[in-house]
Amino acid sequence: MEISPASVRFVWRFIGATLVYGVLITGATWVARNFDPSPIGLVALSILPAIAIAASLIVVGLYLIEETDEYVRKRQAVAMLVSIGILLTLSTALGFLQQRNLIGSVDLLWAFPAWCVLWSVTQCWMAIRDYRRAGDAA
């Protein structure tokens, strides 16, 4: 299976955005712990890592635009939709559990990493499903 140029660009861009996220979250945490930023400064430090998340989502969007293989593009779109559906369902259930004081607070900063993991798991599930179907057809 040949890897498309769009896939290669996606991987490098996503790695770059992830590294920027790591630097921003580490730096923002370090500044917040070692200095006494003003409330506005704390707001800025809290929002700063989300900019890298936005960059990551832009990278994903660029990939969908640049990928010329319609089959691959459709699979990625389906995997993203399944993962966002699972994430929204879980977050809604957690919200109801919190509302009824059945669980403590859940940190929302894990939403994007959870989506990335779910996206990957969905792609693996789709690949295994297709492999089994191909085996049944042979």
Side-chain angles (χ1 to χ4, degrees):
M1 182 173 168
E2 189 174 319
I3 298 174
S4 71
S7 293
V8 173
R9 285 191 300 271
F10 166 75
V11 168
W12 283 112
R13 290 171 180 164
F14 200 81
I15 288 172
T18 302
L19 290 175
V20 169
Y21 174 76
V23 168
L24 289 176
I25 196 148
T26 302
T29 302
W30 184 80
V31 169
R33 287 185 180 165
N34 293 302
F35 296 96
D36 189 22
S38 67
I40 292 175
L42 274 176
V43 169
L45 289 172
S46 299
I47 293 173
L48 201 57
I51 293 170
I53 299 289
S56 297
L57 292 170
I58 290 169
V59 166
V60 171
L62 286 173
Y63 171 67
L64 288 178
I65 291 169
E66 294 173 349
E67 179 58 61
T68 56
D69 188 328
E70 290 291 328
Y71 177 72
V72 171
R73 188 166 32 188
K74 178 189 170 239
R75 288 179 60 89
Q76 291 298 329
V78 168
M80 288 178 206
L81 287 172
V82 168
S83 60
I84 196 71
I86 293 170
L87 183 64
L88 290 174
T89 302
L90 289 174
S91 63
T92 302
L94 288 172
F96 283 126
L97 291 169
Q98 284 180 314
Q99 187 182 40
R100 291 171 177 88
N101 295 321
L102 297 172
I103 62 171
S105 66
V106 177
D107 292 330
L108 294 176
L109 61 92
W110 292 106
F112 183 72
W115 177 74
C116 290
V117 169
L118 288 168
W119 182 23
S120 299
V121 170
T122 302
Q123 290 180 71
C124 289
W125 171 75
M126 292 170 70
I128 291 169
R129 181 196 62 185
D130 293 348
Y131 178 77
R132 286 185 177 167
R133 284 183 181 169
D136 291 343

